[in-house]
Amino acid sequence: MGYQEKASWATLSITLIVLVNYLVKLTTIEHSNLSLTGLLSVTFIWIIAATIVVHIILAILNAKEAEQEIDERDNIFDLTATRNSTWVIYISIFIAFSHLFLLQYFVGNHSFSLLNLANVSAAYNMANILMLGLLMSGLVHEITKLYYYRRGC
């Protein structure tokens, strides 16, 4: 297993841990604007810090492999993974804005209040949808890369 594949496994593991932690806390905390702000901030900080630390450890443990240049095959895998993960981001942005517009239309008319996910402002609902889209995009990116590494194309 090469360095790039190990790095993908590490990033996938971190993303899964952060996603599960985010979903557990999102479903169990008291929903207020302040608690959601803290959850979003902590999630961003944890994913960045954990990724940096794990990649530093991987680079130290695999110094020779880490110093090698990335070959064209790795670039193709990364570009394909980026394309797939970008579509997930596009879809999550579409869902977030659609949710915002539907929420304003139906709740503004007092005809349907189930669209307000957590009884907080629409901006926080939108931020949560975008955070979930970002984490799902990271999963798709790493899973795509690992699929191509394992397939051996």
Side-chain angles (χ1 to χ4, degrees):
M1 185 179 335
Y3 176 75
Q4 296 299 325
E5 189 175 354
K6 289 177 188 175
S8 290
W9 279 111
T11 305
L12 178 65
S13 301
I14 292 167
T15 307
L16 276 173
I17 290 168
V18 170
L19 177 63
V20 168
N21 185 37
Y22 180 74
L23 289 174
V24 166
K25 287 188 178 182
L26 187 64
T27 57
T28 59
I29 64 170
E30 177 189 337
H31 296 292
S32 68
N33 291 344
L34 186 60
S35 65
L36 288 177
T37 302
L39 178 61
L40 289 168
S41 302
V42 167
T43 302
F44 272 121
I45 291 169
W46 271 108
I47 198 159
I48 292 169
T51 303
I52 290 171
V53 168
V54 169
H55 282 277
I56 288 172
I57 292 170
L58 270 175
I60 290 170
L61 294 176
N62 303 304
K64 289 182 182 179
E65 292 178 16
E67 291 176 2
Q68 292 177 353
E69 290 188 30
I70 298 175
D71 61 356
E72 186 161 340
R73 187 185 106 173
D74 291 332
N75 285 335
I76 291 171
F77 293 169
D78 193 48
L79 286 173
T80 305
T82 301
R83 180 195 64 206
N84 293 345
S85 65
T86 302
W87 277 106
V88 174
I89 288 286
Y90 292 158
I91 291 168
S92 68
I93 290 171
F94 176 76
I95 290 170
F97 279 103
S98 298
H99 179 266
L100 180 65
F101 292 131
L102 289 173
L103 186 68
Q104 286 182 344
Y105 177 74
F106 286 115
V107 175
N109 294 334
H110 300 293
S111 55
F112 194 58
S113 64
L114 291 176
L115 286 172
N116 196 355
L117 299 176
N119 250 352
V120 293
S121 70
Y124 284 102
N125 284 328
M126 187 173 174
N128 284 320
I129 292 170
L130 290 174
M131 175 61 82
L132 290 171
L134 178 69
L135 292 170
M136 295 303 286
S137 172
L139 288 177
V140 167
H141 188 270
E142 298 307 323
I143 289 171
T144 302
K145 281 173 46 176
L146 289 170
Y147 171 77
Y148 283 112
Y149 279 124
R150 288 279 111 193
R151 198 171 118 189
C153 293

